[in-house]
Amino acid sequence: MKNQFLIRRSALALAVCTCLGGVSSVYAQSTTGSINGNVPTGGNETVLIESANGFRREVPVDARGKYAANQLPLGTYTVSLQRDGATVDSRKDVSLRVGSSTDVSFNAAPATAGSSADATSLSGVTVTGTAMPNIDVTAVDSRTIITSEQLAKLPLGRSAEAIAQLAPGVVMNGGNFKSDTGHQIASFGGAASNENAYYVNGFNTTDPLSAVGGLQLPYGAIDQQEVYTGGYSAQYGRSDGGVISQVGKRGTNEWHFGAQVIWQPAFARADNDNLYYTRVPSSAPAGDLYQPKSENRQWITTVSAYAGGPLIKDKLFFFVAGEFEKTGQHNVNSVGTNPPASTNTYKAPRWYSKLDWNINDSNILELTGASDKREGSGTRYNYDYANLQRTDKIGDVDNTKTGGDLYVAKFTSYVTDSLTISAMYGQMQTKNYDQPTNYDPSLARVDSSDQQNPALNSGTAIHNNQVADLSSPGRGNKSTNFRFDVAYTLGDHTISAGIDNVKSRAEDFGTNSPGPGYAWTYGKTDSPNTPISEAPGINFVPAPALFPNGAGGYYVSKNVVNNLVNVRSDQRAQYIEDKWQVTDTVLLSLGLRNDQFTDYNQSGQAFITQTKPQWAPRLGASWDVNGDGSFKVFGNAGRYYLGLPLNPATGAAAGYTATQQYYTYSGIDSLGRPTGLTQISQPVSANNSYGIPPDPRTVAGKGLKAENQDEYILGFDKTLGSNWVYGAKLTKRTLHAAIDDFCDIDLVKAKAAALGYSVGSTNSCYLINGGAANTFTVLDASGNAQEVPLSRDELGFPALKRKYYSLETFIEHSFDGVWYGKFDYVFSRSYGNTEGQARTDTRQDGAAGSVDWDNRYVMENANGPQGNDHTHVFKAYGYWQFAPEWQVSGNLQAASGAPEVCTGYYGPDHTDPVSYGSSYRYCNGEPSPPGSHGRLPWTFNLDLGITYRPLWADQKLAFSANVFNVLNEQRAIFRYPASEGPANTVNTIYRVPLYTQDPRYGRLAVTYDF
């Protein structure tokens, strides 16, 4: 076998030259590929391209002997050189990679038209991404493509994000942010983890509400997944981080069926490490034990099947895949959490269908349907933490339904050899259903019961079984995506232009406090003579010792939450791009994109209108140094705009209620509710959220700029021998504008008064450009709008800063019939005073909703390495076919830790000037910028797999076993950062590692492919 492979490789080296053979037009998030190349001219040559499913295109060869066929459906092709209508040479089994151009050149002297013996002299040659070192010299972007063949061989988690982690510059977020369907999301190139875009067959599936994740395909339905880490075409935008684009499988003229069963048993999963208090509270039921995570259990079973083939040969094809995943869990939560323990069941039905119609050789229609859902249910229990035993049943866990369905239609017309048009329209509808099966409408929930006065509960915390905040059963999102693209080849230029529009809507969003409309939260301070909040004005909360029963520092707050809105957004874009083949070895990509964003409140009124031109130039270049595809130097420079998801419209623009009213108490009843109350304060709200809907003119700063970032890339790829490719890349990213909420209303009112305005009403918070001057709009006593400008210095802000730079190096060995491997190392820094639309160290993943930029106090000492900064990341993965029936695989990732963070009360006197508690960047009264307290530990993750495909089953049957986190490393990826709670009192869980690496677990699978 090995000698045969070497002979075929020698033929391939002569037959295929990966050089610039025409101008290809393949782009980020596309669903197609391209073929180009050189041919020896001497007559009337054309190139005939035929797919395995009957699709057929014939393209001309120009005077220089170059040809290109763009926007081809993914699949396997035969490429034939024709002269005067007769085939003189051909290449079979040419597989395309999404968004890439495959070079198929005919450089050997062609046979004459009448020579039948040589008509297919090099037939049977296979050109795929893993058959030889393949450098796409027509590409100017930065991406990693993982094929279905690789997915079947590598030990990977079954999610788009787990696949994306194979790409350099991609790390899992440390805040354990998860999508609605339960997938942990990733950070790309120093950006926040909710600044990415998700696509399925070209449709934007990014969560419209929060941008945290997106719908994705069943694992077995993925044909290829692109992971873009920079340099996208002007055709696409709405991402400052990266792009995850999945393309599903399609039917062919051959019938294919298959099924798989996967089992992750509970016995093959190691125990989690327990968590322990930093400071043991008075009412702790089991000493310093905070959460007995070692008692948690999890098991997963997945069954899947697929089928595909022709409905009408060469014309109409279908592919359908289904997957059902069931997860069982026994969970024990932390002390004071409601419920203390639960048994949970999650069912994740996913399906995918694709219909392809070759109307004729010039027109194609594609229809896609997909579903990615998750349903949760279970039972709540009380728990005996001292004896580590689950006790009596409380009731049912809330029933949850998340995820949704999408449907997409795409039409492509090859109008002429030079002109191609395509149109795509799709709809997506998702649910965010969360409803209790039963609850007591008269019972107020009790939180933080471990902070109760032990003299009033006999030393044992008392709580009740009330449910979490309530939401509307109709809560969900809808979005549509329309694209129209035109590509025209004119000599050395391929000019593309089009539109890209996304409309989104959130329905019945919000939550309400259960029972009587409020919940009780207990607290304790070690400084009972110090005010709970020293914020001036209505948010001041006096010291508990000034009131009866407060001398010990014990108090309770009545918390009220109320919000329910319908909001929408409209994001439009237009682009034009020219791929210019300057010389035979130099390609320029010159693009310009214009994005517009409009956001509407619950009354349908626009409160953000960013419709003036937001020009985003995209410039790229590729140089085929040796002219043979063996050495590419490339560069890219571009600007990227990011529109807000819908959740800011549900907050600052909506007028929600989120208040706390403080009391001391003299007793605790049998349901944990305080009795003998003495009122300390009126209802207060750090964000001034008192339920008053703002005038849409006042919500955002005048001339609010959309978040935007500039990116610069310079790199090279080079072959090394017959099987290796290596390269390096430099990347620099600079954030120029970001949007967040600003809540220091008194500062705005003071400036308005200085300008002579009598303010009639104010907002809870405003949306502003953080770290910049802003002009606020307020309403005077007569209801007239007045402009109030505040400079950056008046706001007390440092200039916005988020910078990222990296050096990436890699070396890759293509599959030679024996083994494949890729190794990469990234040195990077992500630093500044903002992470972007999310903040890892405070676990805030809502866009424009983090603590950052709320006021000047929280931005002091903010500059430093950000929460997704991992200076060193090493990755290695691959597989080895060590025997005809046996294969082993591995995936290793090692990353240096993110900065450890310590927050506390403000300044050396531990004050609370704006009621933000332990959110200031001070620790033990000292300035505490990010990175000043060292780093979290390095993490090492080694996953291994083995697969057996017996010859007696014609290798259609496979048995596989995978072990994840073989070394059972459970190092911290997130430590609780708040050092005080309240002032001068050590927080009971400060530095507790709330999130760690998952423990070791095993997975078994049986697969049959017919």
Side-chain angles (χ1 to χ4, degrees), residues 49 434 449 607-608 615 662 860 870 910 934 947 965:
I49 299 169
D434 187 340
S449 58
F607 65 91
I608 293 179
W615 299 114
Y662 289 84
E860 289 186 27
H870 297 269
H910 302 257
T947 300
N965 191 7

Side-chain angles (χ1 to χ4, degrees), residues 362-442:
S362 299
N363 299 284
I364 299 173
L365 178 64
E366 304 171 60
L367 302 177
T368 298
S371 180
D372 180 11
K373 296 180 179 178
R374 191 175 193 237
E375 301 176 0
S377 60
T379 305
R380 298 179 292 148
Y381 294 91
N382 281 314
Y383 194 79
D384 181 350
Y385 288 90
N387 295 301
L388 301 180
Q389 291 182 350
R390 194 172 67 186
T391 58
D392 56 303
K393 177 181 175 180
I394 298 172
D396 294 332
V397 170
D398 284 8
N399 287 329
T400 60
K401 298 177 182 180
T402 56
D405 305 319
L406 66 93
Y407 299 93
V408 185
K410 181 182 180 183
F411 173 75
T412 303
S413 180
Y414 307 99
V415 181
T416 68
D417 291 336
S418 301
L419 177 63
T420 302
I421 63 172
S422 65
M424 185 207 74
Y425 177 80
Q427 296 182 339
M428 179 176 71
Q429 183 169 358
T430 61
K431 289 183 178 181
N432 198 340
Y433 178 92
D434 187 340
Q435 293 294 303
T437 56
N438 55 72
Y439 79 101
D440 185 346
S442 64

